[in-house]
Amino acid sequence: MIKAIKGFNDILPDQSAKWLYLESILANVLGRYGYEHIRLPIVEQTDLFARAIGGATDIVEKEMYSFADKSEPPTPLTLRPEGTAGAVRAVIEHNLLRGDTPKLWYIGPMFRYERPQKGRYRQFHQLGVESFGSALPDADAELIAMTHLMWQELGLKDEMRLQLNSLGESDERHAYRDALVAYLTDKQEQLDEDSKRRLTTNPLRILDSKETSTQALLADAPKLADFLGTESQQHFAQVQAYLDELGIVYEINPHLVRGLDYYNKTVFEWVTDKLGSQATVCAGGRYDGLLGQLKSIDNRADAPDNKPVKSEPAVGFAMGLERLLLLIEAVAPFADTPACDVFVVTHPEVYSAGIRYAQNLRYARPDLRIKMASATSLKAQMKKADKSGAALTVILAQQELEDQTISIKNMQTGEQTTVAQDWLSQYANFSR
């Protein structure tokens, strides 16, 4: 028997209803802030991710699903491991920044090869949000405020903690990186294996190590905050001032870094203690240099004297939906949603009349979900009605047709009554 690939999971109907409900809440909040939906390809050129994310990151080194297509010569392609690079590519390709500051969101599957575990799969789903065109700290604060509202709408506001840090600009990070490497080089034998590897490839990621021994070494390490210039400090201070004004509680985490090379200045994470070690539910930050970096891939010849192509400021975040649903299930579970509101049961001899009744009811009551079984016996149809979770079952047989009535059975109480055929189409007090 052919089964799903390890780490690639089916989302069955009893769960997909909760996914749709979650997505509707998130989309509603995004709409209230004026963000617009964009649909992005699942497959992009491999070079897009290698340049955007960084060749020394775990994603590019170990986790991408890459392959060559059938063109001549073959083009290296990759299933998207994250969404920001594709969103930036779309903004550049379609000139969305021309006279505008687009605010975009997308949702869908991402792909990374790593060990599957609860809430982390090889095909996983993310909501991504990107705000382009503003270098001011209010753009950073707006994204954080929007996620704060999402937690309130989902009943999670007491379960989430906001952590902030500033990565400064690239020259400030490089100076800090040199100081961190110098500090850790003499102590590298005390580092965990991943941190030893990162010491020569991506040393800032060592700050994010989950190993207790490595964190103990970092207690006396140089602090990134001490390497930030005046402008970076002022930017970060203003972000905090906006959050204070909004009453959003946060904590500064000096070890907070992002796993992707394109971040600068503000970075943030929303974390919870309800999911064990998989604590981060939502994360993001500012990436002002990425647009210029990706523009330069195709436009390098247009840049005189090898000057860098002008970039545009941007800030964004992503949240993993599997992990968010696990948190919701743990602390504020969604009510189970039945497959339908009304189930129509019809005697096989008058089944065509039942089809007509159900279709007319769907036109008259677009707010109701109406389901029918196939033209089997009444007993078999009633069994399906019992399993459907419907609040009401409509029963239609020859006698009802002659009398222009229907029988209505309340599936919670078992009470059954006979009413006019148009009763349900006019019944305004229907309650799911």
Side-chain angles (χ1 to χ4, degrees):
M1 184 174 69
I2 298 176
K3 294 184 178 181
I5 302 167
K6 184 177 182 180
F8 291 72
N9 300 328
D10 299 309
I11 300 173
L12 301 179
D14 62 332
Q15 290 299 312
S16 65
K18 296 177 181 180
W19 281 73
L20 290 171
Y21 183 56
L22 169 63
E23 291 165 5
S24 71
I25 293 173
L26 299 175
N28 176 268
V29 173
L30 288 157
R32 288 152 71 179
Y33 279 80
Y35 282 71
E36 297 179 289
H37 188 212
I38 185 171
R39 295 179 184 266
L40 301 168
I42 289 175
V43 178
E44 299 271 9
Q45 294 187 47
T46 300
D47 199 35
L48 172 67
F49 300 114
R51 288 177 178 265
I53 297 172
T57 60
D58 286 351
I59 294 174
V60 173
E61 285 186 336
K62 300 186 295 184
E63 298 174 2
M64 293 202 312
Y65 280 93
S66 298
F67 58 95
D69 71 1
K70 297 181 180 181
S71 62
E72 289 295 338
T75 301
L77 302 177
T78 295
L79 296 176
R80 62 185 185 191
E82 58 93 47
T84 298
V88 172
R89 190 268 312 148
V91 165
I92 295 170
E93 182 175 343
H94 301 289
N95 295 316
L96 298 185
L97 277 162
R98 183 175 295 171
D100 198 6
T101 54
K103 297 181 176 184
L104 307 174
W105 68 274
Y106 49 87
I107 198 166
M110 310 291 167
F111 304 86
R112 296 185 193 178
Y113 186 86
E114 53 185 338
R115 184 172 63 85
Q117 53 188 289
K118 191 173 184 180
R120 178 179 289 178
Y121 307 110
R122 290 172 177 170
Q123 176 179 305
F124 58 99
H125 298 78
Q126 281 188 342
L127 168 73
V129 179
E130 319 291 350
S131 176
F132 298 95
S134 174
L136 299 176
D138 57 87
D140 313 32
E142 179 182 79
L143 285 188
I144 295 170
M146 184 162 62
T147 54
H148 185 259
L149 178 55
M150 289 175 177
W151 312 143
Q152 294 184 64
E153 296 291 292
L154 292 168
L156 299 176
K157 64 182 180 66
D158 296 329
E159 313 300 335
M160 307 289 278
R161 301 192 332 272
L162 173 62
Q163 297 185 344
L164 297 178
N165 195 19
S166 176
L167 300 181
E169 298 293 6
S170 59
D171 58 333
E172 297 160 359
R173 282 196 309 283
H174 287 156
Y176 172 66
R177 171 192 163 133
D178 291 343
L180 182 64
V181 170
Y183 172 81
L184 290 175
T185 296
D186 294 337
K187 304 173 178 62
Q188 58 183 306
E189 291 307 314
Q190 302 173 56
L191 294 171
D192 61 270
E193 291 304 314
D194 270 348
S195 294
K196 288 179 183 178
R197 176 176 56 82
R198 288 169 173 163
L199 189 59
T200 57
T201 59
N202 196 353
L204 264 63
R205 286 303 311 280
I206 298 174
L207 300 176
D208 198 33
S209 172
K210 301 299 186 290
E211 294 293 333
T212 304
S213 58
T214 298
Q215 285 299 322
L217 281 179
L218 293 170
D220 296 323
K223 307 301 180 192
L224 177 56
D226 296 334
F227 290 77
L228 300 185
T230 301
E231 199 277 333
S232 292
Q233 292 178 22
Q234 290 175 344
H235 185 100
F236 193 43
Q238 187 59 61
V239 172
Q240 295 172 66
Y242 285 136
L243 298 181
D244 292 338
E245 181 68 25
L246 294 170
I248 298 175
V249 178
Y250 56 89
E251 57 192 62
I252 306 300
N253 179 357
H255 291 172
L256 175 59
V257 294
R258 303 296 303 126
L260 311 178
D261 284 357
Y262 51 63
Y263 284 106
N264 70 305
K265 289 186 177 173
T266 309
V267 289
F268 66 90
E269 289 186 356
W270 285 97
V271 301
T272 181
D273 58 5
K274 296 296 190 293
L275 295 177
S277 61
Q278 305 304 317
T280 303
V281 177
C282 171
R286 181 165 283 281
Y287 52 94
D288 293 334
L290 184 56
L291 275 88
Q293 182 179 328
L294 294 185
K295 281 181 184 178
S296 69
I297 295 175
D298 296 322
N299 299 339
R300 193 174 300 278
D302 298 331
D305 303 321
N306 291 321
K307 292 181 180 178
V309 176
K310 181 180 181 294
S311 190
E312 295 284 349
V315 60
F317 69 80
M319 65 175 69
L321 299 187
E322 281 89 351
R323 197 171 293 179
L324 182 54
L325 280 163
L326 282 175
L327 178 60
I328 291 169
E329 196 64 30
V331 301
F334 294 148
D336 290 333
T337 303
C340 64
D341 301 309
V342 176
F343 201 101
V344 177
V345 171
T346 305
H347 195 285
E349 293 181 1
V350 294
Y351 194 78
S352 59
I355 292 175
R356 185 174 66 250
Y357 171 82
Q359 190 73 346
N360 289 338
L361 185 57
R362 292 183 181 107
Y363 281 114
R365 292 297 301 269
D367 58 315
L368 300 183
R369 294 164 300 156
I370 298 155
K371 191 172 182 178
M372 291 186 73
S374 296
T376 53
S377 68
L378 281 176
K379 182 178 180 181
Q381 291 182 56
M382 286 302 297
K383 285 184 177 179
K384 291 185 180 297
D386 287 336
K387 292 180 179 180
S388 71
L392 299 176
T393 293
V394 172
I395 303 169
L396 192 61
Q398 184 63 47
Q399 188 63 51
E400 282 81 6
L401 285 179
E402 293 175 1
D403 298 340
Q404 295 189 330
T405 61
I406 51 174
S407 293
I408 296 282
K409 182 178 180 180
N410 185 312
M411 301 304 286
Q412 290 185 324
T413 66
E415 180 183 359
Q416 187 167 318
T417 57
T418 300
V419 297
Q421 280 192 12
D422 62 355
W423 176 82
L424 191 53
S425 63
Q426 301 175 26
Y427 181 48
N429 295 322
F430 183 91
S431 178
R432 289 180 177 83

